[in-house]
Amino acid sequence: MNDGGAKSETLLQVTEINGRGRSLVAAQPLRAGQVIFRESPLLLYSAFPFLSSPPPLTATIRCQSCSLVSFCSPNCISFHTPWLCESLRRLHQSSSAAFADQSPERQVQARFLLSAYNLAAASPSDFQILLSLQGNGDSTSDSGFLHSLLSAVCPPLPVPISPELTAALLAKDKVNGFGLMEPFSVTNEKRSVRAYGIYPKTSFLNHDCLPNACRFDYVDSASDGNTDIIIRMIHDVPQGREVCLSYFPVNMNYSSRQERLLDDYGFRCECDRCKVESSWSEDENEDMEEMDGEDDQEEEEMEEEGVGEGCGDGVDDDSSFPHAYFFARYMCEKENCFGTLAPLPPKGHDVSRLLECNVCGSVKEDEVVGNA
């Protein structure tokens, strides 16, 4: 696992925060655009159910043994061991009977469990890292069925897998899986997840509805490590401040964010932004989703007023829209994108004047830096 080695350890420290669990906090001042770490996945698995046909990949490498799995990169093949290959083949053969009435979510859970079992045999130390992650105990209702099915269908493993361990693994997957999305297209308003990965260090980053960092991946690039996640700072953060991501597009309204967090992660958000928006009317929240960041005058006014930039910076409760500055500066304007902008990594002491979108990859000049 590549997490940036000693460099990330000097930039961040793991801290227990009351009500938020294990968190990553800046161990020194962090700069806008700074890459705080890069991490390779502990394991990867397909996001497509067994009974569906995934969309074609731009670059496909098909498994020569089972012919059931295609890879977008040679790096992913290392996760596809002979045991996993044979297990997928057997499960696919039996899927018409065993999975006919099962939900797509349960089928994807089966893929995760196969990858986790495989990790236990191939790399016991990495498997222990997986088990050390926090989990959601409410997500284990399917564990009994899946454990029985996989135990009956798959080849024997060299390590014992109990029903209790299967339940514990599903609880880890629920709140620690990061989706690798299909390529962005202006004609596709809702992108699908093509694969999930477990990134242990990244999973320590808590959610905030006005984040101070964002994740980048370059799955469709030809470079090595194209399944790595790169965490880059959106703006400057002082030492001691928690570093946070948004788990979904920042333009979602209050009720949608709360519902998503409760359903997927088991908590309600009480960040500064949510405290303000909780008192808004439904119409005001809907108007917020339509913000496109084109009001330059409002951006300048918010900057002059010193409005905070998220994840613990605070907001002015007297403002009807205290986070307009964040939307205007750091939200991508491209149609159907909804990505977050972060400066390119700084060169020397100067912050980059270019902002990159973490969804569509477009680059634009930062007007605030450019006019400074």
Side-chain angles (χ1 to χ4, degrees):
M1 181 179 65
N2 171 22
D3 65 0
K7 177 182 177 182
S8 66
E9 301 302 325
T10 63
L11 298 177
L12 304 165
Q13 63 184 27
V14 180
T15 303
E16 287 283 341
I17 297 180
N18 187 32
R20 296 175 68 82
R22 286 180 292 187
S23 311
L24 289 182
V25 173
Q28 59 181 268
L30 303 175
R31 303 175 60 201
Q34 185 173 1
V35 174
I36 54 176
F37 65 86
R38 174 176 185 150
E39 184 176 26
S40 302
L42 197 65
L43 59 82
L44 282 173
Y45 59 98
S46 172
F48 297 101
F50 285 91
L51 302 182
S52 70
S53 298
L57 300 174
T58 53
T60 299
I61 305 170
R62 185 173 292 275
C63 173
Q64 298 300 311
S65 299
C66 67
S67 300
L68 297 173
V69 182
S70 296
F71 306 96
C72 59
S73 164
N75 301 320
C76 301
I77 299 178
S78 62
F79 293 93
H80 193 63
T81 64
W83 180 89
L84 185 55
C85 183
E86 176 63 16
S87 297
L88 288 171
R89 187 187 67 81
R90 293 188 186 187
L91 194 58
H92 192 272
Q93 287 179 342
S94 66
S95 63
S96 58
F99 275 5
D101 297 325
Q102 305 306 317
S103 67
E105 180 181 5
R106 182 175 277 191
Q107 295 179 43
V108 175
Q109 285 179 326
R111 289 190 183 275
F112 162 73
L113 286 173
L114 288 178
S115 297
Y117 296 164
N118 182 66
L119 185 68
S123 179
S125 60
D126 284 343
F127 186 68
Q128 290 304 312
I129 293 175
L130 175 61
L131 290 179
S132 72
L133 300 178
Q134 293 178 325
N136 183 350
D138 297 332
S139 62
T140 59
S141 58
D142 293 332
S143 61
F145 169 83
L146 290 172
H147 180 81
S148 299
L149 172 67
L150 299 181
S151 298
V153 172
C154 299
L157 266 173
V159 294
I161 301 293
S162 66
E164 293 77 17
L165 183 57
T166 297
L169 288 170
L170 286 177
K172 310 296 183 184
D173 175 53
K174 177 71 175 179
V175 295
N176 293 290
F178 286 84
L180 299 177
M181 310 298 291
E182 65 182 4
F184 169 77
S185 171
V186 293
T187 60
N188 184 7
E189 185 172 349
K190 187 174 182 180
R191 297 189 302 160
S192 297
V193 180
R194 55 177 136 184
Y196 290 104
I198 302 295
Y199 299 80
K201 193 178 188 74
T202 308
S203 70
F204 283 11
L205 291 168
N206 287 323
H207 167 82
D208 195 282
C209 296
L210 287 183
N212 51 30
C214 60
R215 52 165 280 203
F216 286 81
D217 61 63
Y218 301 93
V219 177
D220 296 293
S221 70
S223 62
D224 291 337
N226 68 345
T227 57
D228 289 0
I229 277 181
I230 298 170
I231 305 300
R232 194 190 303 170
M233 299 306 300
I234 297 174
H235 55 76
D236 292 349
V237 164
Q239 181 177 349
R241 178 71 45 79
E242 184 182 9
V243 178
C244 301
L245 301 175
S246 176
Y247 292 170
F248 35 69
V250 296
N251 70 314
M252 289 179 65
N253 65 31
Y254 172 76
S255 59
S256 297
R257 297 197 311 271
Q258 295 292 349
E259 181 179 1
R260 175 88 170 264
L261 289 169
L262 192 60
D263 289 347
D264 291 353
Y265 302 97
F267 71 90
R268 296 185 63 85
C269 183
E270 297 182 356
C271 71
D272 291 331
R273 175 182 172 188
C274 285
K275 290 176 182 177
V276 172
E277 291 183 17
S278 63
S279 63
W280 287 4
S281 68
E282 184 175 341
D283 288 341
E284 286 175 313
N285 270 295
E286 291 299 329
D287 289 343
M288 186 275 297
E289 271 200 331
E290 298 174 2
M291 277 285 295
D292 59 8
E294 293 181 353
D295 192 343
D296 294 334
Q297 181 178 356
E298 185 172 20
E299 175 182 351
E300 293 172 2
E301 292 173 354
M302 299 303 289
E303 181 187 11
E304 290 171 359
E305 293 170 6
V307 173
E309 293 182 330
C311 202
D313 279 345
V315 293
D316 178 2
D317 289 344
D318 294 332
S319 172
S320 62
F321 196 173
H323 32 281
Y325 174 78
F326 185 98
F327 271 48
R329 187 175 182 186
Y330 299 120
M331 183 174 167
C332 185
E333 301 173 1
K334 184 169 288 189
E335 182 180 5
N336 293 335
C337 176
F338 314 119
T340 302
L341 302 172
L344 294 176
K347 296 181 179 180
H349 299 289
D350 297 327
V351 174
S352 175
R353 297 174 58 173
L354 298 177
L355 298 171
E356 180 184 12
C357 176
N358 69 341
V359 172
C360 69
S362 62
V363 176
K364 60 169 283 187
E365 185 171 357
D366 186 350
E367 297 177 0
V368 174
V369 174
N371 294 328

